Amino acid sequence: TGSLLEKVQISLHKEEYKRVIHFCHEALGLDPENSKALKFRRSALTHGVKNLIKTAFHKKNSKYLDIAQELAKDDQMLNNEINKARNNLIRIMREKLLKKGRAALQTGKFKDAVDFANEVLKIYPGDETALWIQHFALERANTAYTNKDYTLAIQLCNEILKFEPQNNEIKKLKQEAFFKKVIGNPDKYLKGNRYLDWVPLLDKFLIKRRLIKAIQLCDEVLKLDPKN
């Protein structure tokens, strides 16, 4: 085990904690009671987890906590530290995103505001402030529609539908905004188009229904291929 413990010390000095743990496991396979190997493994686990927690907070990324959990495995004490760090990191990320969301609302960047709210809802489902931002964006989408800013209305509807895909109110608003943007008022279009003057009223209604269905099908395609 002597050469293995030398490798352990070299790796520990370089802060290569995964290698330390690997060499310690090999040493303990030869001598399960080796006190130095047990001590080095414990030291590597503790330092490795602490460094990963520090990196997670520095980069505001919880993936480093996932790596820390893989490293800690069944160590209850280290897992408690990781879980505590995860809760704190989520709280910090939530506050930062909500701050950006509120700032975006104040400057009229409604799409950005919904983006930030959606990010919060990924880590804090049901967050009241994030849902309030979404609700505000819905009101703004209605206002945009009323003011004939159909592009903004569609953008905001798309953002809200990411987290409320079954919201029929949003779906309907998006469809109407799409109609107005592409062909203007669909009823006026069908009524005033001289090529359709001969089409019976019932057939015009069916044409409108088919246009709606076409948009729905396009939405389904774009879910599978957003750049289509």
Side-chain angles (χ1 to χ4, degrees):
T1 60
S3 61
L4 284 171
L5 290 177
E6 285 180 12
K7 291 180 181 179
V8 166
Q9 288 177 308
I10 292 169
S11 299
L12 194 59
H13 181 70
K14 292 180 179 179
E15 296 186 355
E16 297 173 342
Y17 299 115
K18 282 191 173 181
R19 287 174 62 82
V20 173
I21 293 167
H22 172 73
F23 291 134
C24 285
H25 279 311
E26 285 192 6
L28 291 167
L30 299 172
D31 179 7
E33 303 299 325
N34 190 301
S35 60
K36 286 187 177 180
L38 289 168
K39 180 182 175 182
F40 285 138
R41 184 180 67 175
R42 183 66 199 172
S43 177
L45 277 172
T46 303
H47 284 87
V49 166
K50 286 185 177 180
N51 277 6
L52 286 165
I53 289 174
K54 189 185 294 184
T55 303
F57 277 94
H58 177 68
K59 297 194 174 183
K60 301 291 186 294
N61 194 325
S62 62
K63 77 175 183 180
Y64 295 99
L65 298 179
D66 296 333
I67 298 170
Q69 224 149 19
E70 289 176 14
L71 192 65
K73 292 186 178 178
D74 297 327
D75 190 302
Q76 190 61 49
M77 188 174 76
L78 289 177
N79 274 307
N80 287 342
E81 284 190 38
I82 295 166
N83 289 333
K84 183 179 178 182
R86 191 183 298 278
N87 290 334
N88 286 335
L89 180 61
I90 287 174
R91 177 180 53 78
I92 291 169
M93 290 170 66
R94 171 186 176 273
E95 290 172 358
K96 184 178 179 181
L97 288 166
L98 288 178
K99 184 178 180 180
K100 288 183 176 180
R102 285 189 286 263
L105 283 181
Q106 290 173 356
T107 54
K109 297 177 180 177
F110 302 105
K111 183 179 179 299
D112 290 344
V114 179
D115 282 338
F116 291 129
N118 286 347
E119 288 300 313
V120 171
L121 291 170
K122 286 179 184 177
I123 57 176
Y124 256 104
D127 185 272
E128 290 184 4
T129 305
L131 290 173
W132 175 82
I133 290 174
Q134 276 197 344
H135 177 72
F136 189 94
L138 170 58
E139 290 183 352
R140 185 63 186 87
N142 278 300
T143 302
Y145 178 82
T146 302
N147 293 338
K148 300 182 180 181
D149 189 349
Y150 303 124
T151 299
L152 177 60
I154 292 167
Q155 287 176 343
L156 291 174
C157 287
N158 283 335
E159 292 303 316
I160 296 170
L161 285 170
K162 286 179 183 178
F163 272 83
E164 294 186 59
Q166 305 305 320
N167 191 317
N168 291 327
E169 181 184 0
I170 298 294
K171 286 181 178 179
K172 183 179 178 182
L173 178 62
K174 178 185 172 182
Q175 288 171 0
E176 291 297 331
F178 186 87
F179 273 130
K180 295 291 181 71
K181 180 181 178 182
V182 176
I183 60 174
N185 187 314
D187 296 316
K188 183 178 178 182
Y189 172 80
L190 293 173
K191 183 179 179 181
N193 191 317
R194 63 189 180 90
Y195 296 107
L196 296 175
D197 285 344
W198 56 272
V199 178
L201 182 61
L202 177 60
D203 288 342
K204 288 183 180 180
F205 174 75
L206 292 174
I207 290 171
K208 181 179 177 182
R209 290 290 299 273
R210 285 170 184 168
L211 285 170
I212 292 174
K213 184 64 177 177
I215 293 171
Q216 290 173 339
L217 290 172
C218 287
D219 281 342
E220 292 301 317
V221 172
L222 289 170
K223 285 179 184 176
L224 299 174
D225 182 8
K227 295 183 180 180
N228 192 303

